[in-house]
Amino acid sequence: MKDKVTSLLRHHIEGDIVLEKPKERSFGHFATPAAFGLAKILRKSPIVIAQDLAAQLSHVEAFSSVEAVSGYINIRLSDAFLEEYASWAITHEAQFAKGIKEGKILLEFVSANPTGPLHIGHARGAIYGDTLLRLGRHLGYEMTAEYYINDAGNQMDLLGTSIMLEAKSTLLGQEVVYPESFYRGEYMTDLAKEAMAEFGAEVFVEANQMMLAQWGKERVMKLIIDTLASANIHFDTFVSEASLYGDWERVLAKLQANDAIAMVEEKLWLKSTLKGDEKDRVVVRENGKPTYLAGDLIYHNQKFERNYDQYINIWGADHHGYIARVKAAVDFMGFDSSKLEVLLSQMVSLLKEGEPYKMSKRKGNVILMSDILEEIGADALRFIFASKKSDTSLEFDIETLKKEDASNPAFYINYAHARIQTLLGKSTYSIEQIMQASLEGVGEEGMHLLFDAMQLPEVVDGAFESREIQKLPEFLKRLAGAFHKFYGAHKIIGAPQEAQYLKLFLAVAVSLRVGLSLMGVTAKNRM
RNA sequence: GCGCCCGUGGCUCAACUGGAUAGAGUAUCGGACUUCGGAUCCGACGGUUAUAGGUUCGAAUCCUAUCGGGCGCACCA
């Protein structure tokens, strides 16, 4: 809708056109401060320019009024224009708020280590990524959701060792000596039991450490995938770090050819300071083993060779120091590093009964994503996490997450949708009859509600392009609130305008449904 | 010490990316249809946007400094 209005304005106004939503409803549907910008160029007062433009624009058919108010130009759309737009949305729900954006985007997110189940901190990045994915796809981008599995290095050894130690101490009652760090927790006991059932007690010997690690990784990945699935999150592709190293020689040769590598003290360093990093980074140790960074270099080389238009990585904020070196490497490999966008999902800090709650994977006192999903459900969790700007650290109390009441916006929005379904069920009008009704009788407040509902396309576009997904839940809350208010003020069933009101509500319901689905939440018809 | 992110009513967060009188929820207090779902609605209270400068028609938003918080500063992944 905004696009349509912008293109109508383009015939009359030069330059970039900024359309805003006026603060006060009485000002109209859209406003533009265009006159302020033109004032400098034309050397005239913005107030005079605004008046001239308003006079021209008042002839546009889709506008019912255009007014100049202290330099702003306020535009009101005609009822006919709004009604036509809404009717189309109702009858073309699958198309509503869709875009025609072009481009292939590789979105990598979650990528949690396969050494333990997802905890509540992972959930934020997972929900952020999946919501972006849904928004981007709706807008027309060709998007691939990818999970990078860090299944190499010490942590894999540690996983094998941990399973073995857990089995020995808990299942076999043996005295064991624990290393400095190891994984523990309920899932570890489960893994040990499963391994025991599958392979027998004799499997728990040093020589089988690697085999147990591999087996454990598969089990943990299955856990992770299942947890994600129960939050409606699915990946298209998985890339294993361990599987990449065969390509290391080739990538290294490429980097060396581009003079990106130096040999100092028997180690190979990436000369990332040349690209703005704080210091150079070791990629191959003295003992010949590549570092974790080497894996990431191969991975990003592989990503870029797969030739997407854009690459988005969602990382936990604790990895922000990593961005410079990866971008440097991408540059060195001859790719355009500006195509790589790293979004940070800030830390989630937890409180428990008002006290800070520190999670530690090693100690096993983590709050599992799967537990929270079971307690409050995917909808509530998705809603809460999607409502916060991802680059702000988020603090909340575990106990409040468990509540199911009005503080839960998912309920509030679903309630609006369910109310509409109830009304449609109670009405004697059929959908066909309702669609034939005109919206003329719904009044000014009704037309405002309709306009609100029809803004989903702009919201979806804005939320994705700015990577600020909280705009969508914000919008849905506002729309649901506007609906509840209208509902409270008007009797619907039996009113002379019953069919008109219901047509209006159909438009609201479409917007709520499509909006919710983009958040990975299914709208409820009954509560 | 250096780097990144952040600082908005008591609390949790918005603010169309530089626009009009900074908005919601929650908490607190007070109200509403003996009728469509009261999981709702209406009202009140609550702000020098951390502080101080600067940029301009205009700043929560941009710049500088200071204060405060989080996270990094591995040859661990």
Side-chain angles (χ1 to χ4, degrees):
Chain A
M1 190 156 61
K2 202 170 182 173
D3 291 345
K4 285 190 183 175
V5 174
T6 307
S7 68
L8 288 171
L9 291 180
R10 199 152 279 144
H11 298 300
H12 302 274
I13 302 177
E14 289 174 34
D16 288 339
I17 295 171
V18 178
L19 271 188
E20 297 165 3
K21 191 179 171 186
K23 279 279 188 292
E24 295 263 345
R25 284 214 146 141
S26 57
F27 292 165
H29 294 116
F30 290 107
T32 176
F36 292 102
L38 291 172
K40 271 185 194 161
I41 303 166
L42 302 178
R43 299 172 148 271
K44 282 204 288 190
S45 145
I47 295 175
V48 174
I49 297 170
Q51 280 167 352
D52 289 351
L53 287 172
Q56 287 179 43
L57 291 169
S58 59
H59 301 299
V60 177
E61 212 167 303
F63 303 156
S64 69
S65 79
V66 182
E67 290 171 335
V69 180
S70 58
Y72 284 87
I73 299 168
N74 295 329
I75 297 167
R76 195 183 309 276
L77 299 171
S78 71
D79 288 358
F81 177 84
L82 284 172
E83 167 145 20
E84 192 186 331
Y85 191 76
S87 297
W88 177 85
I90 297 168
T91 51
H92 297 78
E93 178 165 342
Q95 301 303 314
F96 184 50
K98 280 224 169 189
I100 48 165
K101 299 285 175 83
E102 288 177 5
K104 283 171 65 185
I105 301 177
L106 181 62
L107 174 64
E108 182 218 323
F109 63 114
V110 186
S111 298
N113 291 342
T115 53
L118 298 177
H119 57 70
I120 192 72
H122 292 124
R124 190 174 192 188
I127 289 165
Y128 182 41
D130 185 67
T131 309
L132 272 183
L133 182 71
R134 288 167 188 269
L135 291 170
R137 283 186 173 151
H138 203 70
L139 287 171
Y141 293 109
E142 198 179 312
M143 301 196 55
T144 304
E146 186 155 291
Y147 189 120
Y148 182 52
I149 307 172
N150 295 129
D151 54 355
N154 287 344
Q155 57 180 1
M156 282 295 104
D157 300 347
L158 220 52
L159 177 63
T161 306
S162 300
I163 295 172
M164 192 145 46
L165 292 174
E166 176 69 18
K168 282 182 177 171
S169 81
T170 310
L171 305 181
L172 306 175
Q174 296 178 12
E175 284 282 320
V176 296
V177 182
Y178 287 103
E180 208 172 299
S181 65
F182 62 102
Y183 301 113
R184 55 161 45 153
E186 220 174 295
Y187 80 101
M188 198 44 78
T189 315
D190 293 343
L191 283 179
K193 281 183 189 162
E194 279 181 56
M196 176 93 114
E198 201 168 327
F199 307 112
E202 55 278 8
V203 77
F204 301 116
V205 292
E206 206 65 23
N208 288 331
Q209 186 213 36
M210 284 314 290
M211 185 281 279
L212 281 172
Q214 279 308 309
W215 174 86
K217 175 195 103 180
E218 298 298 332
R219 303 299 306 162
V220 172
M221 278 310 295
K222 190 178 177 325
L223 275 179
I224 289 174
I225 289 167
D226 286 350
T227 301
L228 291 170
S230 60
N232 277 327
I233 298 169
H234 304 274
F235 284 86
D236 302 308
T237 48
F238 292 84
V239 173
S240 145
E241 181 190 354
S243 73
L244 294 175
Y245 287 97
D247 209 17
W248 175 233
E249 294 302 326
R250 188 174 69 90
V251 172
L252 181 60
K254 190 167 167 180
L255 287 168
Q256 279 168 330
N258 292 331
D259 199 22
I261 300 290
M263 165 86 85
V264 178
E265 297 168 356
E266 305 290 305
K267 298 164 223 171
L268 294 183
W269 301 71
L270 178 73
K271 298 197 279 189
S272 52
T273 39
L274 295 177
K275 304 282 184 184
D277 196 7
E278 289 173 355
K279 45 178 147 176
D280 291 345
R281 311 289 173 174
V282 173
V283 288
V284 179
R285 304 176 181 94
E286 220 169 332
N287 62 12
K289 273 191 174 178
T291 62
Y292 172 77
L293 181 59
D296 244 350
L297 301 192
I298 312 167
Y299 179 39
H300 281 85
N301 180 64
Q302 188 237 51
K303 273 187 179 179
F304 274 80
E305 284 181 348
R306 285 153 72 194
N307 199 26
Y308 286 80
D309 297 307
Q310 203 176 357
Y311 308 84
I312 301 177
N313 294 353
I314 296 177
W315 288 350
D318 53 345
H319 288 78
H320 65 77
Y322 219 75
I323 299 173
R325 68 193 80 165
V326 171
K327 285 207 165 205
V330 168
D331 253 7
F332 275 129
M333 292 184 293
F335 300 114
D336 178 1
S337 67
S338 70
K339 286 184 178 174
L340 174 66
E341 183 180 349
V342 180
L343 303 176
L344 298 176
S345 139
Q346 281 291 340
M347 302 290 99
V348 177
S349 45
L350 296 170
L351 299 175
K352 198 163 188 177
E353 286 144 14
E355 293 296 310
Y357 184 83
K358 268 281 183 204
M359 294 201 297
S360 160
K361 223 175 186 178
R362 279 194 345 224
K363 290 182 185 160
N365 60 342
V366 292
I367 292 158
L368 299 182
M369 181 174 168
S370 53
D371 289 345
I372 297 290
L373 279 171
E374 230 169 87
E375 287 195 59
I376 71 170
D379 292 1
L381 184 67
R382 291 194 66 122
F383 231 98
I384 293 164
F385 276 20
S387 301
K388 316 295 175 189
K389 210 166 24 177
S390 74
D391 62 358
T392 313
S393 63
L394 163 64
E395 196 176 78
F396 57 86
D397 200 303
I398 307 290
E399 299 309 313
T400 65
L401 263 186
K402 295 180 183 168
K403 283 195 264 178
E404 288 205 347
D405 59 20
S407 65
N408 182 344
F411 274 88
Y412 185 75
I413 294 159
N414 267 315
Y415 185 40
H417 186 260
R419 267 185 158 167
I420 293 170
Q421 301 311 314
T422 304
L423 290 173
L424 290 170
K426 288 202 166 151
S427 174
T428 54
Y429 290 101
S430 68
I431 297 288
E432 289 71 25
Q433 287 170 314
I434 291 169
M435 285 310 293
Q436 275 163 23
S438 112
L439 283 172
E440 241 167 86
V442 301
E444 201 179 335
E445 283 305 312
M447 290 310 287
H448 280 313
L449 178 57
L450 182 74
F451 177 72
D452 287 347
M454 291 302 102
Q455 279 180 301
L456 183 69
E458 286 79 62
V459 172
V460 170
D461 188 79
F464 181 80
E465 299 300 349
S466 66
R467 317 288 189 237
E468 294 184 353
I469 60 169
Q470 81 280 1
K471 289 171 195 278
L472 181 54
E474 279 292 322
F475 166 78
L476 294 172
K477 273 190 271 185
R478 271 205 317 277
L479 178 58
F483 166 76
H484 283 307
K485 185 182 172 120
F486 189 88
Y487 176 92
H490 298 84
K491 173 133 173 90
I492 309 300
I493 302 297
Q497 315 92 316
E498 180 177 328
Q500 285 96 320
Y501 284 150
L502 289 174
K503 185 172 181 186
L504 166 63
F505 292 172
L506 278 176
V508 173
V510 165
S511 197
L512 289 175
R513 241 187 338 263
V514 173
L516 284 171
S517 77
L518 290 172
M519 296 188 64
V521 173
T522 308
K524 289 189 170 63
N525 293 328
R526 277 174 39 185
M527 303 301 286

